[in-house]
Amino acid sequence: DFDLAIESLAAVEESAKSPYLKAQYMLGVIYTRLNQAQPALDSFKNILRYQRDIGDDDEVNDMAQRAILALGRVFYTAQQFDTAARYYDRITQKDSGWLDSLFEISWAYYQLGKPERALGNLHTLNSPYFVNSYHPEALILEAVLLHSHCHFKRALETIKRFNASYEPLRDELALQLKQTSDPDAFYR
């Protein structure tokens, strides 16, 4: 019941700090889900205002980082790619959302016709240094960028890398799904 959730979350006062920040974030998520961009933007920006005006500690900074990523996503969805890129750029290398922001800003750069910036970020994401990060679509975007700029051989090599990395995972998931038909048993 989105209406009841909005009413309840909007009643959380700023003085409550942690509940307020979480309520504002959830309001932003709900408004995004309802395709109401402006109230979503307002909710996410309320978190940034709180950080600026009230103070910043680890909890506030974490919520602000989430809000910045959410703002980038809302602006990307609204096809305001320059604004989305500005928000993604605010995530620094020391932030836990940095790799996600690199991936997402790469899509914004693709939309803005800045393939060299997108490929630079994708090169970082696909480096051995971040082997434990999970961004399979990064290889797909890289292949699309290479193909669109007539680097067909490199695009095919990228697709081969994607297949080599993710076909075994797909096969393992298919095997696991065949072994049990009960969703609860599969979860366990």
Side-chain angles (χ1 to χ4, degrees):
D1 185 350
F2 290 132
D3 291 333
L4 179 60
I6 289 170
E7 183 182 332
S8 299
L9 292 168
V12 178
E13 295 184 10
E14 198 173 274
S15 61
K17 187 184 175 181
S18 183
Y20 172 76
L21 295 170
K22 291 174 183 175
Q24 289 301 307
Y25 188 81
M26 286 306 301
L27 280 168
V29 170
I30 290 168
Y31 284 127
T32 300
R33 172 70 173 81
L34 295 173
N35 293 318
Q36 296 179 21
Q38 192 56 54
L41 294 173
D42 292 341
S43 296
F44 293 131
K45 287 180 179 180
N46 284 341
I47 296 169
L48 301 182
R49 286 187 202 97
Y50 186 95
Q51 180 189 37
R52 181 194 67 206
D53 298 341
I54 306 299
D56 60 13
D57 57 26
D58 288 343
E59 180 183 15
V60 174
N61 291 338
D62 181 59
M63 288 304 294
Q65 178 190 20
R66 292 177 190 208
I68 290 168
L69 279 172
L71 285 162
R73 291 169 180 149
V74 170
F75 281 112
Y76 184 91
T77 301
Q79 298 185 3
Q80 295 181 27
F81 305 117
D82 279 325
T83 305
R86 282 197 303 274
Y87 277 102
Y88 291 131
D89 262 341
R90 291 177 61 180
I91 303 296
T92 65
Q93 192 170 356
K94 65 180 175 65
D95 294 324
S96 63
W98 180 62
L99 292 175
D100 290 332
S101 72
L102 277 184
F103 173 68
E104 293 177 28
I105 200 173
S106 297
W107 277 106
Y109 288 149
Y110 170 71
Q111 297 291 347
L112 291 167
K114 297 180 179 180
E116 65 286 343
R117 302 274 318 259
L119 285 169
N121 288 346
L122 296 172
H123 179 72
T124 300
L125 280 173
N126 294 326
S127 73
Y129 187 71
F130 298 114
V131 71
N132 292 326
S133 72
Y134 187 71
H135 294 92
E137 298 91 350
L139 288 170
I140 294 170
L141 177 56
E142 181 179 333
V144 168
L145 285 162
L146 291 169
H147 183 269
S148 66
H149 288 85
C150 300
H151 298 283
F152 303 119
K153 183 178 177 186
R154 287 180 58 203
L156 287 172
E157 290 168 0
T158 302
I159 294 299
K160 286 178 185 174
R161 282 191 353 231
F162 175 85
N163 288 336
S165 294
Y166 296 106
E167 279 184 351
L169 178 62
R170 182 202 60 206
D171 295 344
E172 178 63 26
L173 284 171
L175 179 67
Q176 293 292 326
L177 289 170
K178 285 181 185 176
Q179 290 179 355
T180 180
S181 60
D182 177 31
D184 290 329
F186 179 75
Y187 177 76
R188 281 191 290 283

